[in-house]
Amino acid sequence: MAATLDPSVDPLYRDILRRNPGQEEFHQAVHEVLDTLGPVLARRPEFAEAGLVERIAEPERQLIFRVPWTDDVGRVHVARGFRVEFNSALGPYKGGLRFHPSVDLGIVKFLGFEQIFKNALTGMAIGGGKGGSDFDPKGRSDAEVMRFCQSFMTELYRHLGEHTDVPAGDIGVGGREIGYLFGQYRRITNRHEAGVLTGKGTGWGGSQARTEATGYGCVLFTKEMLRMRDRDLEGLRVAVSGSGNVALYAAEKAQQLGATVVTVSDSGGCVVDDKGIDTALLKQVKEVERGRVADYAERRGGEVRYVPGGRVWEVPCDVALPCATQNELTAEDARTLVANGVLAVAEGANMPTTPEGAAVLREAGVAFAPGKAANAGGVATSALEMQQNASRDAWSFARTEERLTAVMRSIHDACHETAERYGRPGDYVAGANIAGFERVAEAMLAQGVI
Ligand code: NDP
C-alpha cells in the first residue's frame, strides 16, 4: 500500500503492517481509516497521548478454533472457526459471522475493524466484532449445515452472551444458520437468551425488517446523498452487484422508490434486465429455491440476458450499489461507471471498492458512501432486535422501518456535518471515519488504559 499517510499516523501504520503480516484486507481497512485521522489527532492531542490509534487497531481478543463436522456420507471434515472481539468501549461486541472458503484471520479482522466505526455511527450501545469460518455451505444439505453450525457453536458459546458478544449473519449465514446456531446455544447453556444472536426468525425473537434492513438502509442513505444534490431516485437506473441478502433488499427498496434496477449478479455472472428486476421472482429463486441468477434469467425469459462471467459495472447506470463482497469494484470499473455518468455509489457490501476505485469516483465528484455508513442499517436493526428481546416486545414492520429510516438519516447527517467540520465538504469517507472514531475514542479515553 502506498505510503501517503499523515506523519502523525504513518509510523503506527508501519508497525501494524509489521505485526500483522499477510493480512492484506486488514491493512487496507486500517489504511483507509488512518488516511483521514491526521486532522483529528492534530486537534485532539490527548487522543494520541492515550495511544488510542494503537489500541483501536489491536483486537481486545482473537479466537481461532477447530470445527470438526461429519458430512452425509460419514466423512469427517475440519473447518477453522474465528471470532475477533475487537472493541467493547461502546457496548457488547456486535458483528456477523461469515461462512465462505475465503475466510481467514485477515478477512475477519478487516470486517471487525470496520464494524467498530460502523456500530459507533449508529449511535447505539454496540461494540465491534466479527467472526466466521472457511466452511463453504454452498452445495451442502440442510443436515450438513446443521451439524456444522452445532459444532461451531459448541466452541463459540462460551465466549458469547447478550451483554458480552452478539453475533449475526453475513455472507453464507442467513436465517437457516442463525436458527441452528441459536438452537445449539440454547441447548448447551439451558438459557433462552434471545438477545445472544440477531437475525432470528420473527416467530422466535427476531425483529421485523431485520432481513431487509441492510439493503433498505443502503438505498435510504443513497436517497439522502441524492437529496443533498437536489435529486431523487425516481426514474434512475440502478446497478446492484450480488444477489444475496443485501443485494435483494437494496433492489427491492430502490424499486419501491421509483428507480429501475437493471442488473444483479453472483459469482457466476450477471443478468441484465432493462425493464427492471422482478424482485419477487428473484427472492423466490434465491431464498426459497436456493438457485442462481442464471435460473432467474431463465425463468423470467423475454429480453432478460444472462452474461456468464459478466460484470454489472459495465451496464450503464445512474446509481451503483456494490452489495456482494470486498474489492469487487476496481479502478477500471470506476472509470467505466464515471464514463457512463454515474451520480452516486453506495457500498452495501463491506469494502467492495478498491482504494484506487474509490479515488477515481471521488476525484470525478461522484457521491460516494463507504460501507461503514451506507450498510449500517443491518447492525442498527440488530440493535433494535436486542432492544425488543430485552423488553420481551415485538414491534411492527412499520415501526421498525421508521426507526431504520431515522437512523440512516442521522448517520448520513453525522457524516456530512463531520466532513464539513473538518473542511472536507461532501467527503463521506472522511466524515464516516472521523465521526465513528471520535465516538469510540471519547469512550476509550474516559475508560482509561485498558
Ligand atoms: P449473502 O451470502 O447473502 O450474498 C452474497 C452475495 O455476494 C451472493 O450473491 C454471492 O454470490 C456474492 N459473492 C460473495 N462472495 C463473492 C465473491 N468472492 N465473488 C463474487 N461474488 C461473491 O451475503 P450478504 O448479502 O449478507 O452480504 C453481502 C455483503 O454485505 C458482504 O460484504 C457483507 O459483509 C456485507 N454486509 C452484510 C450485512 C447483512 O446484514 N447481511 C450487513 C452489513 C454488510 P455467490 O452466491 O455466487 O457466492
Side-chain angles (χ1 to χ4, degrees):
M1 189 99 33
T4 51
L5 289 171
D6 186 274
S8 65
V9 288
D10 195 59
L12 302 179
Y13 180 65
R14 300 278 141 214
D15 211 36
I16 288 164
L17 289 183
R18 184 184 61 76
R19 296 179 72 207
N20 301 279
Q23 298 177 358
E24 282 88 14
E25 292 84 1
F26 176 56
H27 301 163
Q28 184 181 333
V30 171
H31 191 280
E32 187 199 301
V33 171
L34 295 193
D35 193 28
T36 52
L37 291 190
V40 186
L41 298 175
R43 273 192 208 183
R44 301 288 305 272
E46 67 274 26
F47 285 167
E49 283 154 21
L52 274 171
V53 177
E54 294 92 319
R55 284 197 278 144
I56 222 165
E58 182 71 17
E60 291 176 12
R61 191 174 298 109
Q62 309 182 52
L63 309 160
I64 303 181
F65 51 95
R66 180 173 70 197
V67 191
W69 61 282
T70 309
D71 67 20
D72 286 344
V73 296
R75 237 183 93 215
V76 173
H77 300 258
V78 178
R80 189 170 286 173
F82 301 90
R83 186 73 183 163
V84 172
E85 299 182 332
F86 227 117
N87 194 296
S88 59
L90 295 178
Y93 309 107
K94 182 86 199 84
L97 299 171
R98 175 177 292 192
F99 293 168
H100 191 272
S102 62
V103 167
D104 60 20
L105 186 60
I107 298 264
V108 177
K109 282 177 67 182
F110 119 63
L111 291 164
F113 185 72
E114 291 268 299
Q115 198 82 43
I116 304 171
F117 306 99
K118 178 189 311 194
N119 294 4
L121 282 171
T122 67
M124 290 156 158
I126 40 179
K130 200 83 188 188
S133 173
D134 56 2
F135 169 72
D136 187 358
K138 228 179 267 168
R140 291 292 173 192
S141 69
D142 286 354
E144 288 174 324
V145 171
M146 181 179 75
R147 285 194 295 274
F148 173 80
C149 289
Q150 290 175 339
S151 181
F152 185 85
M153 187 52 91
T154 300
E155 171 56 34
L156 189 63
Y157 87 94
R158 70 192 82 239
H159 306 289
L160 305 184
E162 62 186 359
H163 301 295
T164 309
D165 187 350
V166 183
D170 190 80
I171 290 179
V173 179
R176 174 183 61 172
E177 290 76 15
I178 293 293
Y180 296 147
L181 291 163
F182 184 74
Q184 186 71 351
Y185 181 85
R186 190 168 59 72
R187 185 180 192 194
I188 295 176
T189 59
N190 194 30
R191 279 166 67 87
H192 193 111
E193 191 184 334
V196 74
L197 281 172
T198 58
K200 298 181 294 295
T202 49
W204 44 278
S207 175
Q208 295 287 343
R210 172 60 188 93
T211 306
E212 293 83 356
T214 309
Y216 275 26
C218 178
V219 174
L220 294 169
F221 195 100
T222 307
K223 185 179 161 206
E224 293 300 309
M225 289 201 300
L226 290 171
R227 191 170 58 82
M228 301 306 291
R229 297 175 173 216
D230 296 320
R231 300 289 299 254
D232 67 26
L233 275 156
E234 184 76 46
L236 298 189
R237 281 170 63 94
V238 176
V240 175
S241 66
S243 51
N245 172 263
V246 180
L248 267 175
Y249 292 97
E252 183 171 276
K253 179 51 82 181
Q255 302 214 138
Q256 280 174 12
L257 296 179
T260 304
V261 176
V262 289
T263 174
V264 291
S265 68
D266 58 28
S267 53
C270 69
V271 289
V272 184
D273 194 339
D274 280 315
K275 294 212 174 79
I277 296 288
D278 177 343
T279 49
L281 175 62
L282 184 60
K283 263 198 250 181
Q284 168 70 20
V285 170
K286 290 290 305 180
E287 290 187 332
V288 181
E289 299 163 19
R290 294 191 181 272
R292 317 285 299 156
V293 293
D295 302 319
Y296 163 86
E298 198 181 311
R299 291 271 286 284
R300 185 121 153 95
E303 284 154 30
V304 176
R305 281 183 295 128
Y306 173 65
V307 189
R311 297 184 61 72
V312 296
W313 316 126
E314 287 161 13
V315 182
C317 65
D318 305 300
V319 171
L321 305 176
C323 295
T325 194
Q326 62 275 1
N327 292 327
E328 53 157 319
L329 198 164
T330 64
E332 196 187 328
D333 296 325
R335 279 190 283 273
T336 307
L337 286 168
V338 170
N340 286 333
V342 75
L343 301 168
V345 177
E347 296 186 328
N350 285 312
M351 212 169 73
T353 314
T354 63
E356 299 78 16
V360 170
L361 295 171
R362 289 161 76 191
E363 275 156 28
V366 174
F368 176 69
K372 59 174 80 67
N375 70 35
V379 76
T381 309
S382 277
L384 299 179
E385 183 172 331
M386 292 161 72
Q387 202 172 318
Q388 292 169 72
N389 294 152
S391 57
R392 300 192 183 281
D393 199 359
W395 304 346
S396 67
F397 192 98
R399 180 177 174 192
T400 319
E401 193 183 7
E402 200 178 301
R403 287 288 302 271
L404 168 67
T405 307
V407 170
M408 294 317 295
R409 194 174 305 134
S410 124
I411 296 174
H412 171 274
D413 293 351
C415 296
H416 196 265
E417 284 156 18
T418 305
E420 295 219 320
R421 185 154 51 87
Y422 278 90
R424 308 274 292 265
D427 185 343
Y428 289 93
V429 173
N433 288 340
I434 297 173
F437 176 79
E438 282 183 335
R439 184 158 184 247
V440 185
E442 297 287 6
M444 289 177 72
L445 198 59
Q447 293 173 26
V449 179
I450 53 164

